[in-house]
Amino acid sequence: MKIGFCFGERVAVLPAAITAHLDKASKKDIQILLELAAEPLSFHDFAAACAGVAARVGCSTAEIDAAVAFWRGTGVLTIGEAEAPATEPAATRQTSAVAPRVLSDKGLPTYSTEELSDILSQRAELAQLLDDCQQVFGKIFNTGEIAIIAGLLDYLGLDGEYILLLLTHCRNMEKKSLRYVEKMAITLHDEGIHGARELETRLQNIELMAKATGRVRAIFGITARALTSKEKGLLESWICKMKFDDVMITRAYEMTVDAIGKPSMPYANKILERWFADGYRTIADVDKALDEYKKKKNNGSSFDVDEFFEVALRRTYKD
């Protein structure tokens, strides 16, 4: 026994990979994908193809965008640059994959109340995510705020874990505005932070920097002015990469002032980089090295604490 398909005039050719995502796809998502696969215009004029699908299916532009974003997120669908119609069979044509990117000044798409109602009724995972997000912020979202969550999921292709991590971070930073969440999500997306694990690391660093910046400003006597980009980079390296505490940074500051007579973050950075390269992670490590140097100097010659630090600095600059 064998089966046969009655193709008719329009044929939809799809990868078998879609079966792995059917449990998350809505009926509308599947219907739109089938229509796009059966539409010849999809291969060289995607905008025209979407217009045709919208007319046949009876859906809005926002629903088309949401479905396309969903299938792009699964890897089933890619969108390439527009190209002229080709003469070879569709199966032999190729389109170049373009990673989804949203310009920060454009924001997310908008949805009408009716569109949101339809989307929520058809997609249980979005409704559940919305409930979880409202619990994180401790409030009921209005239509505009619901649209932002839908846009993060469908237009940016972020998953629920990513969105909840971002909302939790914003709540902890006392930035309980969905517009703030939207802007931050777009910025992170454009910087290439697409996965939940990448986001978790980035947010931990942001929170560490937020707590440390004020303390380091106080150590170096920086009061009124903002940190320069270079100074922010040095601070991030000390806190997030080297993971030095205030005591280590204070010691580097004191050595800097003793050496050149004034505070200097770039000069202190040379000291901290040398300590990090030599394996010193705590002030106890630095004090131990100082004690060892002191013992060597006491064997027949005088000991000078400043000389110990000067030798380290000369070695640093020579390297």
Side-chain angles (χ1 to χ4, degrees), residues 96-166:
S96 58
V98 178
R101 186 177 187 276
V102 178
L103 297 178
S104 58
D105 60 344
K106 292 186 177 180
L108 300 176
T110 58
Y111 301 84
S112 68
T113 302
E114 293 75 15
E115 289 169 342
L116 284 175
S117 178
D118 289 342
I119 292 172
L120 289 171
S121 65
Q122 295 173 16
R123 297 175 59 183
E125 85 282 0
L126 176 55
Q128 181 59 56
L129 174 62
L130 183 60
D131 287 342
D132 294 339
C133 290
Q134 290 177 140
Q135 289 184 26
V136 170
F137 264 30
K139 59 178 286 189
I140 302 298
F141 293 161
N142 59 35
T143 301
E145 292 169 331
I146 294 173
I148 290 174
I149 300 299
L152 295 177
L153 187 68
D154 287 335
Y155 196 61
L156 289 187
L158 307 178
D159 61 24
E161 183 181 6
Y162 188 110
I163 295 170
L164 289 170
L165 277 172
L166 186 56

Side-chain angles (χ1 to χ4, degrees), residues 37-66:
E39 174 55 69
L41 284 174
S42 297
F43 294 97
H44 59 84
D45 191 344
F46 185 67
C50 287
V53 170
R56 286 192 299 275
V57 176
C59 59
S60 66
T61 301
E63 288 176 308
I64 294 284
D65 289 342

Side-chain angles (χ1 to χ4, degrees), residues 9-15 18 29-43 46 49-50 53 56-57 68 71 76-77 90-91 93:
E9 296 180 355
R10 302 172 69 242
V11 179
V13 180
L14 291 167
I18 67 168
D29 290 334
I30 297 171
Q31 186 178 13
I32 290 171
L33 181 65
L34 288 170
E35 286 286 347
L36 287 173
E39 174 55 69
L41 284 174
S42 297
F43 294 97
F46 185 67
C50 287
V53 170
R56 286 192 299 275
V57 176
V68 170
W71 290 114
V76 166
L77 185 67
R93 290 198 297 266

Side-chain angles (χ1 to χ4, degrees), residues 41-314:
L41 284 174
S42 297
F43 294 97
H44 59 84
D45 191 344
F46 185 67
C50 287
V53 170
R56 286 192 299 275
V57 176
C59 59
S60 66
T61 301
E63 288 176 308
I64 294 284
D65 289 342
V68 170
F70 172 79
W71 290 114
R72 289 177 76 179
T74 65
V76 166
L77 185 67
T78 62
I79 307 297
E81 297 293 336
E83 59 183 35
T87 56
E88 67 268 24
T92 65
R93 290 198 297 266
Q94 296 181 348
T95 57
S96 58
V98 178
R101 186 177 187 276
V102 178
L103 297 178
S104 58
D105 60 344
K106 292 186 177 180
L108 300 176
T110 58
Y111 301 84
S112 68
T113 302
E114 293 75 15
E115 289 169 342
L116 284 175
S117 178
D118 289 342
I119 292 172
L120 289 171
S121 65
Q122 295 173 16
R123 297 175 59 183
E125 85 282 0
L126 176 55
Q128 181 59 56
L129 174 62
L130 183 60
D131 287 342
D132 294 339
C133 290
Q134 290 177 140
Q135 289 184 26
V136 170
F137 264 30
K139 59 178 286 189
I140 302 298
F141 293 161
N142 59 35
T143 301
E145 292 169 331
I146 294 173
I148 290 174
I149 300 299
L152 295 177
L153 187 68
D154 287 335
Y155 196 61
L156 289 187
L158 307 178
D159 61 24
E161 183 181 6
Y162 188 110
I163 295 170
L164 289 170
L165 277 172
L166 186 56
L167 264 68
T168 301
H169 165 79
C170 291
R171 181 201 64 194
N172 293 342
M173 300 296 287
E174 299 184 355
K175 300 288 186 180
K176 294 176 65 174
S177 162
L178 266 293
R179 287 299 176 189
Y180 183 88
V181 173
E182 175 186 10
K183 291 178 181 179
M184 189 172 183
I186 292 173
T187 298
L188 291 167
H189 181 273
D190 285 353
E191 291 177 356
I193 309 296
H194 299 153
R197 299 284 73 78
E198 296 173 283
L199 176 66
E200 186 173 23
T201 299
R202 181 62 175 275
L203 294 182
Q204 287 174 351
N205 288 343
I206 290 174
E207 292 181 10
L208 284 173
M209 287 286 290
K211 294 176 181 178
T213 298
R215 299 196 302 268
V216 174
R217 287 173 65 93
I219 291 171
F220 282 84
I222 303 172
T223 55
R225 71 171 179 84
L227 295 178
T228 66
S229 297
K230 182 177 181 180
E231 288 171 335
K232 289 178 181 177
L234 294 177
L235 178 57
E236 184 173 5
S237 178
W238 301 346
I239 301 300
C240 301
K241 176 187 173 184
M242 302 181 193
K243 300 188 183 302
F244 285 147
D245 60 18
D246 293 357
V247 179
M248 292 284 277
I249 295 173
T250 299
R251 178 68 68 87
Y253 161 79
E254 292 170 348
M255 288 176 55
T256 297
V257 174
D258 289 342
I260 65 176
K262 62 180 180 179
S264 169
M265 289 181 69
Y267 197 95
N269 183 61
K270 288 294 183 181
I271 299 171
L272 293 169
E273 283 184 337
R274 167 54 61 187
W275 288 348
F276 186 75
D278 287 347
Y280 304 160
R281 296 296 181 265
T282 67
I283 201 65
D285 296 333
V286 175
D287 288 340
K288 181 180 178 181
L290 180 61
D291 288 340
E292 291 175 353
Y293 180 80
K294 183 177 180 179
K295 290 177 181 177
K296 290 180 181 178
K297 292 294 292 182
N298 282 341
N299 292 332
S301 61
S302 62
F303 171 74
D304 186 343
V305 174
D306 291 336
E307 182 182 349
F308 166 74
F309 291 128
E310 288 174 8
V311 169
L313 285 174
R314 285 199 299 270

